[in-house]
Amino acid sequence: MRFLPDQGSTRAAVIGMGYMGSTVAATLAGEGVDVVGIDVDPALIAQLEQRRCPFSEPGLPELLHSGLDSGRLRVTTDYGEVSDADVVIIAVGTPVQDTRLVDFYLRAACTKLAGQLREGQLVILKSTVPPGVSRKIVAPLLEGGGLAVGEDFGLAFCPERLSEGRALHELRTFPIAVGGWCPDSAAAAAAFWQRTIDAEIIICGSMESAEMVKLANNWWIDHNIAMANELAKLCAVLDVDVLQVIAAANTMRKGTGNVNILLPSVGVGGSCLTKDPWMAWRAARDHGVELATIPVAREVNDAMPGYTVDLITEELARAGRPLADAKIAVLGVAFKNNTGDLRATPVLPVVTGLREGGAEVAVFDPLADAAEVEKVFGVAQAQTAREALAGADCIAVLARHDEFAEIDFVALRESVAPSCVIVDGRAYYSPETIDRFRRHGFSYRGIGR
Ligand SMILES: NC(=O)c1ccc[n+]([C@@H]2O[C@H](COP(=O)([O-])OP(=O)(O)OC[C@H]3O[C@@H](n4cnc5c(N)ncnc54)[C@H](O)[C@@H]3O)[C@@H](O)[C@H]2O)c1
């Protein structure tokens, strides 16, 4: 097969050993692939070499460590290692600023890579990009080394669609969309994923089509959550539990599956949903098409932290406690449940809003890096949940990690204020748990509940 050896074990290089690159590299090494992970950040490479995984992802530290221990995974800052690989996967960051792609990292990676490519290799771009970037930016930069794409080396775009917290499982089980520069490139990329993680493959008609798959996925998710958030606002004023409505609504069959309204929450954060829809919006505008739904969904979701601050303020007032005199314990500061990732976390604007209202705010997140919490939130986090809760007028659960299930607020009743309010930003407590809170003198409010 062109661009992939027919026999023997496949060797891969992963460029960009951040959250996504490390997950892909560790998974491939776990499947027996000889992998070299390359990153420009020497501190990150040193951390990984010392078996310190900076990413909070269930199972990832163990997988990275076993790959490193076995020698199937090596990490380096040296691009020279690329020449030994059969397949080179690009996983560098692709942020967006003012709705436009910041292509600096991608350009730098492709420029460096160009000087190292050799004939017969396959390059797979996994970073999320607007349509046309693989063809118009990546391909010409890679050709800068003197080799011709489609002739001397293959090129494919395969979006990464995993979500944090379930990444290792999703990486192995989600179908992989493949868009090739040419049919040989697409065939080689498909064969690579089949051989390594035995993934179901969806061949897209072009690289642009595969690029759009990823953007369509995140556009849909962001839009769906915006609808759930507005549904929650309506249910709140009707005194209807939004989760009951969603559970029942989702039993209706539609299209090839069921209606699938996602869950309302304190807000949408993370490094993908906050930027990827803008890539689609900007691409449309650059082609003379004005998309209306993307700015609306982003606006709705970005307003949820403010809505949460108002909800906390209201509930405290109902309990006779002005926000300015209140102590609030925030449990979970990451951008969603079961991750320690603080990138674009909606909890930050909530904490800022509460502080601006004069409240004292203690924060605790067992999954987040303590130094990172201090940097982002400007305050050292409590050592334990119990310490954060001491004397609290409000417990705001804004990311509910599985380990919070062990904290029994009722058992800690004496440690918090008599009129303590529990505000549920995404814990989605069951009606039985909520009843139990109320029986023990807590008041309870959730988003749309
Ligand atoms: N985080 C997710 O859940 C997720 C999911 C799917 C897709 N993605 C996409 O994957 C890509 C990477 O995201 P991430 O979350 O891993 O980002 P990240 O910021 O965690 O990692 C990016 C890494 O690339 C490295 N880097 C930058 N320039 C480089 C260069 N020239 N050469 C080598 N390394 C370089 C950085 O040092 C960093 O370690 C983005 O396009 C993102 O949209 C992320």
Side-chain angles (χ1 to χ4, degrees):
M1 171 175 295
R2 278 181 87 198
F3 311 130
L4 196 69
D6 289 327
Q7 309 275 346
S9 59
T10 313
R11 295 161 303 171
V14 175
I15 310 290
M17 284 293 284
Y19 171 84
M20 193 268 271
S22 284
T23 308
V24 171
T27 300
L28 290 173
E31 297 299 325
V33 180
D34 180 42
V35 184
V36 60
I38 300 171
D39 202 289
V40 283
D41 181 354
L44 171 63
I45 293 301
Q47 259 184 315
L48 293 172
E49 270 173 341
Q50 291 158 16
R51 312 294 191 263
R52 289 190 286 127
C53 171
F55 313 109
S56 152
E57 180 64 39
L60 181 59
E62 296 80 356
L63 200 57
L64 272 171
H65 298 170
S66 78
L68 290 162
D69 290 345
S70 68
R72 280 194 309 278
L73 173 63
R74 287 170 300 115
V75 290
T76 177
T77 55
D78 180 10
Y79 266 74
E81 299 263 352
V82 159
S83 53
D84 286 338
D86 303 304
V87 176
V88 184
I89 296 166
I90 303 176
V92 298
T94 47
V96 160
Q97 202 171 20
D98 297 332
T99 78
R100 287 186 191 278
L101 171 71
V102 178
D103 59 12
F104 171 81
Y105 306 103
L106 187 60
R107 282 180 181 274
C110 292
T111 306
K112 272 196 151 177
L113 196 50
Q116 303 295 336
L117 282 182
R118 59 169 175 78
E119 280 187 35
Q121 284 178 313
L122 171 69
V123 178
I124 296 178
L125 176 62
K126 259 198 166 300
S127 305
T128 304
V129 292
V133 165
S134 302
R135 187 179 305 278
K136 293 184 187 140
I137 295 181
V138 173
L141 286 173
L142 293 179
E143 286 189 319
L147 298 180
V149 61
E151 297 293 327
D152 302 317
F153 69 94
L155 175 64
F157 179 80
C158 302
E160 184 47 70
R161 300 187 288 167
L162 57 80
S163 55
E164 297 188 20
R166 294 187 299 273
L168 295 180
H169 173 71
E170 292 182 349
L171 192 59
R172 285 201 182 85
T173 52
F174 277 3
I176 295 186
V178 174
W181 169 273
C182 54
D184 284 345
S185 296
F192 171 70
W193 295 116
Q194 276 165 338
R195 258 187 223 177
T196 53
I197 55 174
D198 194 21
E200 183 189 332
I201 300 297
I202 298 159
I203 297 285
C204 299
S206 63
M207 293 192 292
E208 288 77 4
S209 160
E211 289 166 335
M212 275 312 301
V213 168
K214 170 73 187 181
L215 300 187
N217 279 144
N218 279 355
W219 178 356
W220 180 86
I221 296 169
D222 198 45
H223 199 223
N224 186 319
I225 296 172
M227 187 242 166
N229 283 332
E230 292 217 301
L231 181 66
K233 287 182 181 176
L234 174 57
C235 287
V237 293
L238 298 175
D239 201 17
V240 163
D241 186 335
V242 69
L243 292 198
Q244 267 178 17
V245 174
I246 290 175
N250 284 355
T251 60
M252 178 187 167
R253 290 202 64 75
K254 196 74 194 167
T256 53
N258 275 16
V259 167
N260 183 18
I261 304 171
L262 300 175
L263 295 173
S265 72
V266 56
V268 170
S271 64
C272 292
L273 290 177
T274 52
K275 73 173 168 75
D276 295 352
W278 288 121
M279 287 187 183
W281 181 86
R282 172 54 63 185
R285 177 167 272 198
D286 289 347
H287 286 82
V289 176
E290 218 37 55
L291 299 180
T293 56
I294 285 173
V296 170
R298 289 279 65 244
E299 195 183 324
V300 168
N301 291 335
D302 281 349
M304 291 312 289
Y307 178 83
T308 308
V309 171
D310 291 346
L311 196 143
I312 292 172
T313 309
E314 248 174 57
E315 274 310 297
L316 283 168
R318 207 173 291 186
R321 175 69 69 178
L323 181 62
D325 295 338
K327 175 181 171 183
I328 293 149
V330 172
L331 299 189
V333 297
F335 85 87
K336 67 172 184 178
N337 299 352
N338 294 319
T339 176
D341 196 338
L342 302 182
R343 288 181 287 183
T345 174
V347 181
L348 180 60
V350 175
V351 170
T352 305
L354 294 172
R355 284 201 186 123
E356 282 169 1
E360 176 193 346
V361 185
V363 298
F364 176 66
D365 193 315
L367 297 188
D369 178 70
E372 195 65 18
V373 172
E374 189 163 352
K375 199 164 97 191
V376 173
F377 286 84
V379 62
Q381 70 162 329
Q383 302 282 326
T384 60
R386 182 182 267 274
E387 183 190 321
L389 294 178
D393 300 290
C394 170
I395 303 168
V397 183
L398 301 186
R400 184 181 183 252
H401 307 317
D402 288 345
E403 55 194 272
F404 286 161
E406 289 160 20
I407 307 170
D408 183 0
F409 298 141
V410 171
L412 296 171
R413 191 70 192 83
E414 298 306 313
S415 320
V416 298
S419 59
C420 188
V421 175
I422 294 174
V423 169
D424 171 0
R426 53 171 98 237
Y428 315 120
Y429 291 118
S430 67
E432 295 73 31
T433 304
I434 296 168
D435 277 351
R436 184 165 172 265
F437 289 153
R438 290 190 171 133
R439 278 202 312 278
H440 288 84
F442 289 101
S443 51
Y444 169 88
R445 275 292 290 281
I447 307 284
R449 313 183 73 197

